[in-house]
Amino acid sequence: MANQTEPHNNQSSDEIDLGQLLQLIKKGINGLGDFLLRIYLYLRNRALKIAGLIVIGLLISFGLSQIISKTLKTEVIVRPNFESKNYVYDVVAEIAANISGRNADFLKEIDVVPEDLAGFKVQIEAIEDDDVKTDDRMLQEMKYLEVLQNFKDESFVMDILRAELSEKSEINHKITFTYKDPEKGPAIVQKLMDYIEANEYFNQVKTVYSKNAQSRIEKNKTLIQQIDQLVDNYSKALLTDKQKSGAGMVYMEKENTLNVPSLLSMKNVLVKEIEEKQLELAQQTEIISVLNLGNTQVVKKSFFTQTYFSIPSILVGGYLVISFFQYLERRSKRLKL
């Protein structure tokens, strides 16, 4: 008989536990609703005070924006030439340290007084080049390398490869100058750029490089003239021999004496090298090529760091914290110690 009533008791126990669980969930939902309702009533009863604090904070922010001068900046995008990247980074670090320490000798050298450097800072960073190569471009580069392979023993090929590798390895960099004075700031920026360019070693390298590039252009032009002359004489000789003999055998024997396609390919390589050298001479006129000397602009701050947001938030947050502690103080007085 006892065995028959035991399953019924277990089922009743499970139903009671499930009912209690539902009751707890219901109480939790009600408690959360009451909590949110209390917050709503609290904010509603103090809406005028909170709105007043926000207005006061905005007025304070507006007043500070009129008193405190804005931070300005000039961004200069440069490309180091003659493998001078390390030098550029070192000299920018040197300039930043001298400005921060107000080095009198340095300021005298660039003709700047310490009073003009209020809020002046300088920093440099690399600009990554997101260059996406298409299939056509990769195919063209492969064909170009195949042509160079035919003249691998020539000295000019190494110069071309060195220039190509230098082009791939050198990336652009951005030097950012920040300052307060909208008139004196840009003038100081120009003086610092002149200081960066005034390096004796790299200026000598630039002079030698310019002479070598110009010499290479002249030699390539001479070689092109020689190739044109060879091809022209060879064509005339073939035409003459063919007219005299009237046989194709002589033409085939003469054709094997001069590799005309290789000469024409070599001419194309020489023409391309002349174009590259002329472009390099135009681009690498200084130690660093200034790709863009930006105009003066206002430094933009993120939304959460602007005074128009931070000061009202501080006032409202302070008021809510004080109200919370006042609430705790009232609750603590009700406790019986």
Side-chain angles (χ1 to χ4, degrees):
M1 190 71 177
N3 294 334
Q4 295 178 354
T5 58
E6 185 176 355
H8 178 72
N9 293 334
N10 291 337
Q11 184 177 2
S12 300
S13 178
D14 293 339
E15 292 178 354
I16 292 174
D17 293 339
L18 181 59
Q20 292 176 346
L21 177 60
L22 293 175
Q23 289 294 328
L24 291 174
I25 294 174
K26 184 177 180 181
K27 289 181 180 180
I29 294 174
N30 292 334
L32 178 61
D34 292 341
F35 176 74
L36 295 176
L37 183 60
R38 289 178 181 274
I39 293 177
Y40 166 74
L41 293 175
Y42 174 83
L43 295 177
R44 189 191 66 177
N45 295 334
R46 294 164 176 80
L48 292 178
K49 293 182 180 180
I50 294 175
L53 291 173
I54 293 175
V55 172
I56 293 173
L58 292 175
L59 293 175
I60 294 174
S61 300
F62 178 77
L64 291 177
S65 66
Q66 300 301 314
I67 297 174
I68 301 175
S69 59
K70 296 180 180 180
T71 302
L72 307 175
K73 69 176 180 179
T74 297
E75 295 180 341
V76 184
I77 299 177
V78 301
R79 170 169 288 191
N81 299 321
F82 318 114
E83 300 179 358
S84 62
K85 184 184 73 172
N86 292 337
Y87 160 72
V88 174
Y89 273 78
D90 289 342
V91 74
V92 170
E94 171 196 335
I95 291 173
N98 287 328
I99 291 177
S100 177
R102 297 296 190 269
N103 188 320
D105 295 334
F106 171 76
L107 298 182
K108 183 178 180 181
E109 182 178 356
I110 63 174
D111 191 23
V112 174
V113 295
E115 291 75 14
D116 295 341
L117 294 174
F120 199 99
K121 296 180 181 179
V122 56
Q123 60 183 4
I124 185 172
E125 60 180 341
I127 302 176
E128 296 296 337
D129 186 13
D130 299 331
D131 187 12
V132 180
K133 290 187 176 181
T134 61
D135 294 338
D136 293 339
R137 182 174 177 182
M138 293 181 65
L139 183 61
Q140 291 177 359
E141 291 185 356
M142 291 178 64
K143 290 182 178 179
Y144 178 54
L145 292 176
E146 289 177 359
V147 173
L148 292 179
Q149 180 68 22
N150 297 330
F151 306 98
K152 60 182 179 181
D153 296 330
E154 301 292 338
S155 59
F156 67 87
V157 175
M158 295 303 299
D159 295 336
I160 295 176
L161 292 177
R162 188 179 298 108
E164 291 289 339
L165 291 175
S166 177
E167 180 71 17
K168 301 298 182 184
S169 60
E170 292 293 343
I171 59 176
N172 299 336
H173 304 267
K174 181 171 65 176
I175 305 177
T176 303
F177 301 90
T178 56
Y179 45 87
K180 297 290 186 181
D181 196 322
E183 296 181 359
K184 297 180 180 179
I188 298 175
V189 170
Q190 187 59 55
K191 291 179 180 179
L192 292 177
M193 293 301 299
D194 294 339
Y195 177 81
I196 295 174
E197 292 286 354
N199 182 276
E200 183 177 356
Y201 168 76
F202 283 106
N203 279 306
Q204 291 178 354
V205 172
K206 178 188 68 175
T207 302
V208 174
Y209 176 85
S210 178
K211 291 181 179 179
N212 291 342
Q214 193 62 46
S215 176
R216 174 61 66 184
I217 291 174
E218 297 300 327
K219 289 180 180 179
N220 285 3
K221 289 181 178 180
T222 302
L223 288 174
I224 290 174
Q225 291 177 357
Q226 293 175 356
I227 291 173
D228 290 339
Q229 189 67 32
L230 285 173
V231 174
D232 184 59
N233 293 338
Y234 178 72
S235 299
K236 291 179 180 179
L238 282 179
L239 182 60
T240 302
D241 291 342
K242 186 175 181 180
Q243 290 175 351
K244 289 181 179 179
S245 63
M249 184 62 67
V250 175
Y251 178 80
M252 294 301 295
E253 291 176 355
K254 290 290 184 180
E255 187 180 14
N256 293 330
T257 60
L258 189 65
N259 192 342
V260 177
S262 295
L263 287 176
L264 295 178
S265 297
M266 182 178 180
K267 178 183 176 180
N268 291 333
V269 172
L270 293 173
V271 171
K272 181 175 177 60
E273 185 184 8
I274 290 176
E275 294 172 351
E276 291 176 348
K277 290 298 181 182
Q278 290 175 340
L279 182 60
E280 290 173 4
L281 287 175
Q283 291 177 338
Q284 302 183 8
T285 57
E286 301 295 341
I287 297 176
I288 57 174
S289 298
V290 178
L291 305 183
N292 180 52
L293 181 60
N295 297 323
T296 301
Q297 55 182 307
V298 179
V299 177
K300 295 181 179 180
K301 298 181 180 180
S302 62
F303 178 75
F304 292 100
T305 59
Q306 293 182 3
T307 56
Y308 284 99
F309 176 82
S310 58
I311 293 181
S313 299
I314 292 174
L315 293 178
V316 173
Y319 172 74
L320 295 178
V321 170
I322 293 174
S323 299
F324 177 71
F325 279 105
Q326 290 176 346
Y327 169 77
L328 293 179
E329 185 67 21
R330 291 194 301 268
R331 295 287 297 181
S332 64
K333 292 180 180 178
R334 299 178 184 178
L335 297 177
K336 295 181 179 180
L337 301 178

